[in-house]
Amino acid sequence: MLHHTFLAEMAWRGAFEGHHQSMLMWLSTDLANTEHLFEQQDLTSLVREGRLGDERRRPIAVRALGATLGLDVETTRRWTNRLVERGLCERVADGLIVRSSTYEREDIAPAAHASLEVLSALFREFARWNIAFPDRPEVIDRRPWESEHANPGFVRQLFVLLFLKFILRFSVETRAIFEHNTMTASVFLCVFSANHRPFFEDDELNLRYASWETLVPAELREPISIRAVAKRMGYPVETIRRHANRLSETGFLEKRGGGYVVPTNTMAAPGLIKGVTDVNASIMMMVRRMDRVAAALAAG
């Protein structure tokens, strides 16, 4: 899950010129505007209507937006001003909204498309490893965002919004582990993802180390160089080096050969285990909501 979410996060960060804070602000605004639509128990009427009209979006005040991310009003205002200037969100009487048409922009549409590709890959992995979710139908494994509908763009946007909800929670929860430094958290996730690349291709390895009780030995993790991390993330080498050094000093990374790996004892750190537990709860929420949308599509 960390691997796939990192890929989606990088796609969205690219849409915001590499500014993680802008990305989080925009995601928080968009999700606050639409959260109430998914709180309905029966989503059939929403699916049948086939649109997320701007009149149904609920604005969020700057103060409330900052509170969701643990930021003061002035910092929130500064970042949201940038979004307004770029036309990514708009000020209305009661706060800020993201127009539904924003998803059609040339800088946003590719990130939304990448989200669905990541979701497809993620569910293929779930199916490959027979990962079961309690009380859920299997309908979602059939890529319901590709189902026939009078407005396919609307259906895709529904699933993108549900995935964005998870990405936002993931970003906020993992950021707390790294003293709320989003770049440091992203560098760690990039190294973590690269270290475990062999496990995506080796079924025996994956099954042998499939639980937190059986930690992966450090020598089985594939190190990644600073330059490779910088290339993958699209940032200067020195910027990545500075954050990697900070992670090394705090014990989250260690040097091995010409690269970095996540040490075994870090994998058992209480903070990281709690973060993964929180991520697991967020996955369950995301899947349940996607199942409800998929069920509404099937019923409609």
Side-chain angles (χ1 to χ4, degrees), residues 3 16-18 27 30 32 50 75 77 87 101 107 113 123 141 146 167 175 183 203-204 217-218 224 262:
H3 170 74
F16 293 90
E17 301 174 335
L27 293 185
D30 192 27
T75 300
R77 198 183 308 281
S101 59
D107 48 358
H113 177 75
F123 285 116
D141 298 327
E146 294 183 353
I167 292 174
R175 189 175 58 163
M183 178 60 79
D203 290 2
E204 184 181 344
I224 183 171
V262 177

Side-chain angles (χ1 to χ4, degrees), residues 237-278:
V237 171
E238 287 310 310
T239 299
I240 300 300
R241 192 186 310 280
R242 184 168 66 252
H243 289 278
N245 287 340
R246 182 181 302 168
L247 287 164
S248 295
E249 291 167 3
T250 53
F252 281 102
L253 295 182
E254 67 180 18
K255 290 183 179 179
R256 198 177 83 202
Y260 284 86
V261 296
V262 177
T264 301
N265 59 342
T266 296
M267 301 292 289
L272 192 61
I273 290 178
K274 180 185 182 302
V276 171
T277 302
D278 292 341

Side-chain angles (χ1 to χ4, degrees), residues 118-242:
V118 170
L119 265 179
S120 295
L122 178 61
F123 285 116
R124 282 198 300 271
E125 290 295 317
F126 286 162
R128 176 185 176 193
W129 297 107
N130 297 314
I131 295 175
F133 292 89
D135 305 321
R136 65 174 292 262
E138 296 303 315
V139 64
I140 197 170
D141 298 327
R142 298 197 293 270
R143 296 166 60 105
W145 49 87
E146 294 183 353
S147 62
E148 290 188 11
H149 191 273
N151 186 353
F154 157 77
V155 175
R156 290 193 293 270
Q157 191 175 346
L158 285 182
F159 283 95
V160 169
L161 280 168
L162 292 172
F163 194 26
L164 290 182
K165 178 74 172 180
F166 171 78
I167 292 174
L168 178 64
R169 288 176 61 108
F170 173 85
S171 296
V172 172
E173 289 163 359
T174 55
R175 189 175 58 163
I177 302 172
F178 302 98
E179 300 177 346
H180 299 280
N181 191 307
T182 55
M183 178 60 79
T184 301
S186 292
V187 170
F188 174 83
L189 291 172
C190 184
V191 174
F192 183 96
S193 172
N195 287 172
H196 293 82
R197 189 173 303 168
F199 291 79
F200 296 119
E201 301 170 356
D202 191 321
D203 290 2
E204 184 181 344
L205 273 180
N206 220 328
L207 289 171
R208 187 184 308 165
Y209 300 104
S211 72
W212 287 101
E213 289 74 26
T214 313
L215 296 176
V216 179
E219 60 270 17
L220 292 182
R221 297 194 188 98
E222 191 174 90
I224 183 171
S225 69
I226 291 292
R227 290 190 178 278
V229 174
K231 182 177 180 181
R232 193 175 183 195
M233 293 184 63
Y235 285 92
V237 171
E238 287 310 310
T239 299
I240 300 300
R241 192 186 310 280
R242 184 168 66 252

Side-chain angles (χ1 to χ4, degrees), residues 40 42-50 56 296:
Q40 307 170 68
D42 185 0
L43 298 176
T44 305
S45 61
L46 173 65
V47 168
R48 284 179 178 166
E49 183 177 341
R56 302 191 67 176

Side-chain angles (χ1 to χ4, degrees), residues 29-43:
T29 303
D30 192 27
L31 293 168
N33 294 166
T34 55
E35 175 65 15
H36 64 286
L37 299 175
F38 296 99
E39 291 175 350
Q40 307 170 68
Q41 189 59 37
D42 185 0
L43 298 176

Side-chain angles (χ1 to χ4, degrees), residues 6-19:
F6 171 77
L7 297 178
E9 191 177 282
M10 285 298 101
W12 281 100
R13 187 179 292 193
F16 293 90
E17 301 174 335
H19 295 297

